[in-house]
Amino acid sequence: MAELPHPDHPGTDDPGRGRRIGIDVGSVRIGVASCDPDGILATPVETVPRSKDRGLDAPDVRRIVGIVREYEAVEVIVGLPQTLRGEPGKAAKLASEFARRLRRSMPDVPVRLADERFTTVTAARALRESGVSARGARPVIDQVAAVAILQGWLDERSAAVNEADGDVGGSR
């Protein structure tokens, strides 16, 4: 079995200013988020049904590629679920395979993997605490998880860019 990749870190080969797309890959749905061109705030986009077809022309891959093109994204961030010990599990294999398919479908856009421990659990808790019922909330939870994945990446990227620019205080 091929070794699963480790999460990427923002700041390496950074494509610069532009929208990014965050992806939360599940076995049934894919949550999608985007950010503003300055990479400050992540917002939900949609929930894409997962296809049983695992080819490059599968409906879920085509839809994500369509969103990336529509938003003119400079980078795609796919959540890589890991165990509490930082090891990949079954869900990480699904996310890694989906990321590989995206890379082959759009070789001109970097597809990165980001550590996403707890994002779905945190998203479900936040929705529950805000009064959203669990019934029918799964698609929303997937989008909120994608927002959490992308926002974490954006925050880490901002710190890396500020550090590279010598701005230790964090202001731009």
Side-chain angles (χ1 to χ4, degrees):
M1 183 173 106
E3 186 176 319
L4 291 171
H6 295 284
D8 295 308
H9 295 283
T12 308
D13 299 328
D14 189 86
R17 186 176 188 274
R19 291 185 190 277
R20 281 142 174 90
I21 299 294
I23 307 282
D24 177 50
V25 178
S27 58
V28 178
R29 288 170 298 276
I30 301 167
V32 183
S34 72
C35 70
D36 59 283
D38 291 320
I40 296 170
L41 184 64
T43 56
V45 172
E46 71 179 77
T47 302
V48 176
R50 195 70 202 273
S51 172
K52 294 199 185 307
D53 178 0
R54 297 294 185 239
L56 295 182
D57 199 38
D60 52 1
V61 173
R62 281 196 329 262
R63 181 62 194 133
I64 300 299
V65 169
I67 291 169
V68 170
R69 301 292 185 219
E70 177 185 337
Y71 281 74
E72 299 176 351
V74 298
E75 189 171 49
V76 176
I77 313 305
V78 177
L80 183 66
Q82 299 189 63
T83 66
L84 293 177
R85 292 187 291 176
E87 299 167 352
K90 182 181 176 186
K93 184 177 178 185
L94 282 174
S96 295
E97 174 54 32
F98 193 80
R100 276 193 291 275
R101 289 166 51 211
L102 284 177
R103 284 185 188 113
R104 290 197 313 261
S105 295
M106 45 182 200
D108 55 320
V109 178
V111 176
R112 320 269 193 207
L113 294 168
D115 184 352
E116 68 129 307
R117 285 174 257 194
F118 306 120
T119 55
T120 301
V121 173
T122 303
R125 182 179 303 131
L127 286 171
R128 195 171 44 252
E129 288 172 359
S130 68
V132 175
S133 77
R135 175 171 292 193
R138 284 303 307 172
V140 175
I141 291 170
D142 296 326
Q143 288 178 36
V144 173
V147 166
I149 291 164
L150 183 55
Q151 190 65 56
W153 181 270
L154 296 173
D155 294 346
E156 195 176 334
R157 177 184 176 270
S158 177
V161 168
N162 286 336
E163 185 177 310
D165 290 345
D167 183 3
V168 195
S171 64
R172 288 179 115 179

